[in-house]
Amino acid sequence: MAAIKKRGSTYKISVSCGYDINGKQIRHHMTWIPTPGMTARQIEKELNRQAILFEEQCRNGQVLDGNIKFIDFAEKWFAEYAEENLRASTVQGYQKLLPRINEELGSRRIGKIKPADLTAFYKKLKSDGAKKNLIMYLRDNWSELLKERNLTQSEISRQSGVSTVQISKAAHGSGLMKKNAEKIAEVLELPVDEVFVMPESGKLSGNTVQHYHRAISSILATAVEWQVIFSNPCDRVETPKAEHKEARVLDEEQVMELIEAANNLPIKRRTFILLALNTGCRRGELCGFEWRDINWKRSTISVARTSVAIKSKGVITDDTKTAKSRRTIKLSEDMLALLKEYREDQDKQRLALGDQWIDSGRIFTTEFGGRLHPDTASKWYHAFVKKNNLADSCLHSMRHTHASLLAYAGINASALASHLGHSTMQTTMNTYIHAIRSVEDESADIMQTLLHKTDDQKPAS
């Protein structure tokens, strides 16, 4: 039976629900506050009703231990839910965000987290200083430092433990986590601020804040499903707004320059880059392609999986980004011919290596047939653009360029969304709105010409 205790103008209702595995009594509590103006009789009647309802909820398992700390529940959530139900890349992304989330919410009782707590956290993430001490950038004298010490980037990688891909990206302007920057500076036997520069502290982007919101919401949504809490406070918080960024695309002239330069590449890299341009597939989808995905008779390739690099597991096979990402794409005759030529080249390599060849079934592989790391593909592309002095772009620009060219050609948004594997047409509209609007403007001009001909153009009666 529920126990009731008056505390000033409020009432504490307690219910005992047996004992836990350690022999500690399990008790749940709630506070009830009478509505102003209620008589003593009304208070007594409603108090008894609230006690009975609360006891029933406890007995039916509707009230669990909302006193568990967020940090403890999150650990349980990753182990018992996330690993089994979410994509590996999503889990890895949430794990990167968790330390900062725990710093803010970890010590809070999960049942005590309020919308105001989340709003305050998001405001802090968007304030000046949120980026402080996270990312560092190589100074302009990086090449000179290597020459002075007769070191290569590969040797720096070997001694520091920082991957060659990360170092190569940093040499081309990307940032490094401070801990990795410190490892590299240690190899060079220099203070970190003589090798790297840290930008002034700034704000996290709206997109990043959205990622934090999704991570917290996913954890707390599961707490609702497991009946640890009654509702998800994230549902009562305004979702942080993400900034819209224009996709980097190449125009037709730049595309022709890229294709001409690609024809001089080794066949594996040439096939990869041209397949990216011809299909608009994501990097992980390209690395996930297997030879069995090609239907040579129908000239199609099917997107059935994606390759993801997970720090603790290496390159793994994962499901596509969404259910709609599973799709079949028509290939041009030239693309199909290039794939056939490349397969013959790979067959020769496999025969030459014999037992050393790893039969992964992938179209794009390592030197010995294993799964290609997605970052390696990006490195290929970056080196290709730089060596040939092509328009500034990244590998993902091939997807944006492919989509924009289709949009300019008049492909409607619905068909384009299906072709790209977007989960909703709104994603397509948001990303390629300028190209789609351009086509709409042109269609209006065409209709103007057709329906409003001059007298000289009108057919004779």
Side-chain angles (χ1 to χ4, degrees):
M1 184 176 178
I4 301 172
K5 187 174 183 179
K6 192 173 187 303
R7 288 185 169 180
S9 60
T10 66
Y11 295 85
K12 180 181 180 181
I13 303 173
S14 303
V15 175
S16 176
C17 296
Y19 297 85
D20 62 19
I21 57 175
N22 297 316
K24 183 179 179 180
Q25 189 176 35
I26 302 171
R27 295 182 66 82
H28 295 303
H29 312 278
M30 71 165 283
T31 298
W32 180 71
I33 304 173
T35 303
M38 292 180 73
T39 65
R41 185 178 180 84
Q42 288 173 327
I43 290 175
E44 181 182 6
K45 184 177 180 180
E46 181 61 21
L47 181 59
N48 289 328
R49 191 179 77 85
Q50 290 290 337
I52 292 171
L53 286 174
F54 184 60
E55 186 172 14
E56 287 180 355
Q57 290 171 344
C58 292
R59 303 295 183 223
N60 293 332
Q62 292 175 282
V63 178
L64 297 183
D65 191 6
N67 287 322
I68 185 173
K69 290 181 179 180
F70 181 90
I71 189 171
D72 296 325
F73 184 83
E75 182 181 355
K76 182 181 180 68
W77 179 81
F78 273 106
E80 298 182 13
Y81 179 84
E83 296 289 349
E84 295 293 329
N85 296 281
L86 301 181
R87 296 180 70 224
S89 56
T90 301
V91 175
Q92 180 172 253
Y94 286 172
Q95 286 173 334
K96 289 181 179 179
L97 303 178
L98 191 60
R100 197 161 193 171
I101 295 173
N102 282 336
E103 184 180 322
E104 185 73 19
L105 303 172
S107 62
R108 302 284 186 92
R109 304 293 177 184
I110 196 169
K112 299 292 184 181
I113 296 175
K114 306 297 182 188
D117 299 325
L118 300 174
T119 300
F121 179 42
Y122 301 153
K123 184 177 180 180
K124 184 182 292 186
L125 292 175
K126 291 186 287 185
S127 64
D128 286 331
K131 275 187 174 179
K132 189 175 182 180
N133 295 333
L134 291 180
I135 301 295
M136 303 190 78
Y137 296 86
L138 280 169
R139 292 186 178 274
D140 294 337
N141 63 341
W142 171 244
S143 297
E144 287 74 13
L145 288 175
L146 295 184
K147 287 179 181 178
E148 287 173 5
R149 287 159 176 77
N150 195 27
L151 288 171
T152 63
Q153 290 186 167
S154 297
E155 181 61 20
I156 292 288
S157 172
R158 188 188 67 79
Q159 293 188 40
S160 67
V162 181
S163 74
T164 54
V165 172
Q166 286 181 292
I167 295 175
S168 178
K169 283 185 174 181
H172 292 99
S174 295
L176 275 175
M177 293 297 292
K178 184 180 178 182
K179 62 180 181 180
N180 287 334
E182 289 172 341
K183 291 177 183 177
I184 292 172
E186 185 178 350
V187 172
L188 295 171
E189 298 181 345
L190 287 171
V192 68
D193 58 359
E194 289 188 18
V195 184
F196 292 86
V197 60
M198 183 183 295
E200 293 183 7
S201 60
K203 305 173 183 178
L204 292 178
S205 69
N207 304 66
T208 302
V209 179
Q210 268 196 357
H211 290 319
Y212 277 97
H213 176 72
R214 291 194 196 101
I216 296 169
S217 183
S218 186
I219 293 170
L220 295 181
T222 305
V224 174
E225 292 177 9
W226 290 354
Q227 298 181 333
V228 176
I229 54 178
F230 284 110
S231 63
N232 186 348
C234 290
D235 296 339
R236 302 189 297 280
V237 174
E238 184 177 355
T239 305
K241 291 183 174 61
E243 298 89 0
H244 175 69
K245 292 184 179 180
E246 292 296 329
R248 279 194 289 176
V249 300
L250 305 181
D251 59 30
E252 290 185 25
E253 183 178 345
Q254 291 168 334
V255 168
M256 295 309 296
E257 290 175 354
L258 181 141
I259 292 173
E260 184 177 352
N263 287 332
N264 297 317
L265 285 171
I267 190 166
K268 179 163 62 176
R269 299 187 185 189
R270 184 195 340 159
T271 306
F272 188 96
I273 291 173
L274 293 182
L275 187 61
L277 179 62
N278 274 266
T279 63
C281 285
R282 302 174 179 92
R283 184 181 71 166
E285 294 170 345
L286 292 161
C287 292
F289 277 138
E290 297 182 1
W291 287 112
R292 58 178 173 155
D293 298 325
I294 300 177
N295 187 317
W296 300 99
K297 291 183 178 179
R298 295 185 179 180
S299 302
T300 61
I301 190 166
S302 297
V303 180
R305 74 198 66 77
T306 185
S307 274
V308 180
I310 302 298
K311 191 172 182 180
S312 59
K313 302 177 182 178
V315 180
I316 66 167
T317 300
D318 200 2
D319 292 332
T320 54
K321 188 172 183 180
T322 66
K324 290 189 177 180
S325 292
R326 298 179 70 89
R327 60 202 187 279
T328 298
I329 301 170
K330 188 77 174 179
L331 297 173
S332 67
E333 290 182 8
D334 288 347
M335 191 69 245
L336 204 66
L338 180 59
L339 282 164
K340 287 179 179 178
E341 182 184 351
Y342 167 53
R343 188 175 191 180
E344 290 175 3
D345 184 80
Q346 190 185 84
D347 285 343
K348 291 177 183 177
Q349 185 180 7
R350 185 179 69 248
L351 289 173
L353 288 170
D355 293 342
Q356 290 182 293
W357 180 262
I358 302 168
D359 192 11
S360 65
R362 290 288 205 267
I363 293 179
F364 302 105
T365 68
T366 63
E367 182 182 354
F368 292 93
R371 296 168 182 167
L372 184 69
H373 196 297
D375 283 349
T376 299
S378 294
K379 186 179 178 182
W380 286 350
Y381 185 84
H382 184 86
F384 163 66
V385 169
K386 185 177 181 181
K387 181 179 180 180
N388 292 278
N389 198 28
L390 299 173
D392 183 40
S393 62
C394 62
L395 181 56
H396 199 65
S397 298
M398 293 296 93
R399 176 171 170 81
H400 291 318
T401 298
H402 173 87
S404 295
L405 290 174
L406 290 181
Y408 282 124
I411 302 296
N412 66 65
S414 178
L416 188 57
S418 177
H419 177 77
L420 294 172
H422 284 157
S423 56
T424 66
M425 193 170 72
Q426 191 60 47
T427 303
T428 311
M429 292 294 292
N430 290 343
T431 309
Y432 305 107
I433 187 65
H434 290 297
I436 293 169
R437 280 179 177 170
S438 175
V439 173
E440 291 174 347
D441 291 342
E442 290 178 13
S443 65
D445 292 339
I446 292 170
M447 293 306 295
Q448 174 74 15
T449 302
L450 290 174
L451 300 179
H452 299 279
K453 293 181 178 180
T454 64
D455 291 338
D456 292 340
Q457 294 173 311
K458 290 180 180 178
S461 58

